[in-house]
Amino acid sequence: MDERGEAAHGADGFGLSEDDVRLYRALRRGDDDLEADDPRLENLRSVGVVFTEPLTDRPSTRPLPHVERELIRRELDEVERRIRRIRRIPSVLGALDRAGAEVRPGTDAIEIVEGPTAVHHLLHNAIETSTAVWSSQTRPRHAERLATSTVRDVALLERGGVRYRSLYPTSARTRAPETEYARRTAGTGAAESRTSSRRFPRMVITDTVALISDRRAGEGKDEPAIAVRDPALLAWLREEYELHWEAADPWFPAPADGPSDRGLIERDILRMLSEGGTREAIARTLEISPRTYTTYVAALRARFEVRTNEQLMYELGKRQRAGVGDDDNDNDNDG
């Protein structure tokens, strides 16, 4: 201990203070008449350089080579003990993991749900107990099934207690069933729909479970779904959804100064053409047929007074550099 009563740690890392060193020097010289139980010898004893002589019952010093060997042996024993503890970590954590799984029966974080009946049953139960539902549809919805869903969802939204967010591809604006669903659900004041040309997964997220299309099987009538229940994964899926949502275009009510439905699709075609997209890739992303794509591109070429896509990109770039933009296509009506 130093003058302030605090432990002083020397450069050797064994807690010997300058007072300890002076005391050791005095013992070696025989200049200090100390009793064996003198508390000032505590640090020197802990290092092993001082011991009690059995014959005289007086404190004495050990040879430093002997002390060195003893300290090294002591440190190696400590290292071996810690290595044994480190080796036990996987088994201890494994036991805790198994114990945690035992108290959560039947709540697997991820499972595959086969068939539309099982998917719809799970989804219906989840929506009935949720306060918010986030959905994204990546392909055209069946008209008759969507009409049934419209009646059910409007009744649920008007009852209160739940809010909907629905994300569609931009091409959905040109299809009557999706347009009617978006308009009627928005009319309840508890739902909002947006559209985007960016690729996003087909899924429905509720408070307790998310159902995602199993892309390994491809999208189809009887496609399986991946059910996710883990709270951390659900939070991550909601964050991913929000990224797509913030970049999407409001549908109903549409912004007063926003582009028309046709203008949105033309905007997306121009953007993807500028990024090097092919006809097949653009049509697949926008969920439109190659023939419809050709019709849109032909209209764009006529508007820009060009004959090829390369000339179209050149004229678009020239207008953007001049600050003119392509706002004139925003005022076109759907045709």
Side-chain angles (χ1 to χ4, degrees):
M1 308 292 287
D2 62 13
E3 294 82 0
R4 294 170 298 177
E6 299 175 351
H9 297 279
D12 57 5
F14 286 94
L16 294 183
S17 66
E18 293 181 1
D19 288 342
D20 293 328
V21 174
R22 285 194 293 267
L23 193 59
Y24 172 77
R25 185 184 301 116
L27 282 172
R28 289 292 301 271
R29 293 175 178 175
D31 296 340
D32 203 335
D33 188 18
L34 296 172
E35 297 294 332
D37 58 355
D38 192 308
R40 291 178 296 170
L41 297 175
E42 181 181 354
N43 289 341
L44 292 172
R45 286 186 180 278
S46 66
V47 174
V49 296
V50 170
F51 74 107
T52 301
E53 177 65 50
L55 296 179
T56 63
D57 199 28
R58 305 291 296 175
S60 183
T61 59
R62 287 192 176 95
L64 293 184
H66 171 83
V67 175
E68 180 182 23
R69 289 193 299 269
E70 180 61 23
L71 287 176
I72 291 175
R73 185 195 62 77
R74 194 191 307 176
E75 294 299 313
L76 289 176
D77 288 346
E78 178 65 16
V79 169
E80 185 177 351
R81 186 184 69 82
R82 290 186 178 274
I83 289 175
R84 287 197 300 268
R85 288 172 61 88
I86 290 171
R87 287 172 177 168
R88 290 182 56 207
I89 290 175
S91 62
V92 172
L93 296 182
L96 292 175
D97 184 56
R98 290 189 296 272
E102 291 173 359
V103 300
R104 296 190 304 272
T107 57
D108 293 338
I110 297 176
E111 67 170 315
I112 304 299
V113 182
E114 300 283 355
T117 301
V119 170
H120 293 160
H121 177 73
L122 178 59
L123 186 58
H124 175 76
N125 291 340
I127 291 176
E128 283 290 326
T129 58
S130 292
T131 59
V133 178
W134 301 262
S135 70
S136 57
Q137 304 291 335
T138 58
R139 57 185 174 84
R141 302 179 69 180
H142 190 276
E144 292 182 5
R145 289 199 293 267
L146 186 55
T148 302
S149 298
T150 301
V151 175
R152 179 199 64 201
D153 292 347
V154 167
L156 181 62
L157 291 166
E158 288 179 341
R159 190 176 67 192
V162 63
R163 299 190 64 84
Y164 274 19
R165 277 187 174 182
S166 301
L167 190 60
Y168 290 89
T170 304
S171 58
R173 291 173 176 266
T174 65
R175 296 192 291 268
E178 283 96 329
T179 301
E180 178 66 6
Y181 177 87
R183 183 187 64 80
R184 297 227 9 223
T185 53
T188 66
E192 183 181 0
S193 295
R194 294 187 180 187
T195 63
S196 173
S197 64
R198 302 183 183 277
R199 298 294 288 178
F200 48 84
R202 184 175 182 229
M203 62 183 177
V204 179
I205 307 172
T206 69
D207 292 347
T208 57
V209 66
L211 289 168
I212 311 169
S213 291
D214 190 346
R215 290 196 172 199
R216 297 171 301 175
E219 293 185 357
K221 183 176 66 174
D222 298 325
E223 64 189 91
I226 303 171
V228 177
R229 293 186 177 86
D230 181 78
L233 289 176
L234 284 174
W236 178 79
L237 286 171
R238 292 187 193 108
E239 289 180 3
E240 288 295 302
Y241 187 96
E242 287 298 323
L243 293 177
H244 291 288
W245 182 261
E246 292 299 325
D249 299 296
W251 198 346
F252 289 104
D257 58 348
S260 64
D261 293 346
R262 183 186 183 95
L264 287 171
I265 297 177
E266 290 180 345
R267 178 203 64 185
D268 293 334
I269 289 175
L270 288 172
R271 178 180 61 80
M272 284 184 273
L273 279 174
S274 68
E275 295 171 352
T278 64
R279 182 180 76 160
E280 291 76 14
I282 295 173
R284 183 170 60 252
T285 300
L286 295 180
E287 291 290 344
I288 59 178
S289 69
R291 177 177 294 183
T292 301
Y293 164 85
T294 300
T295 300
Y296 277 112
V297 171
L300 286 167
R301 289 178 183 173
R303 183 175 303 125
F304 281 83
E305 299 180 347
V306 297
R307 299 179 60 184
T308 68
N309 285 352
E310 289 76 13
Q311 292 172 338
L312 179 61
M313 292 297 97
Y314 174 77
E315 286 296 326
L316 177 64
K318 188 166 65 173
R319 293 191 186 192
Q320 289 175 339
R321 287 192 297 272
V324 175
D326 187 37
D327 294 335
D328 55 339
N329 72 352
D330 293 350
N331 297 320
D332 293 340
N333 296 321
D334 292 308

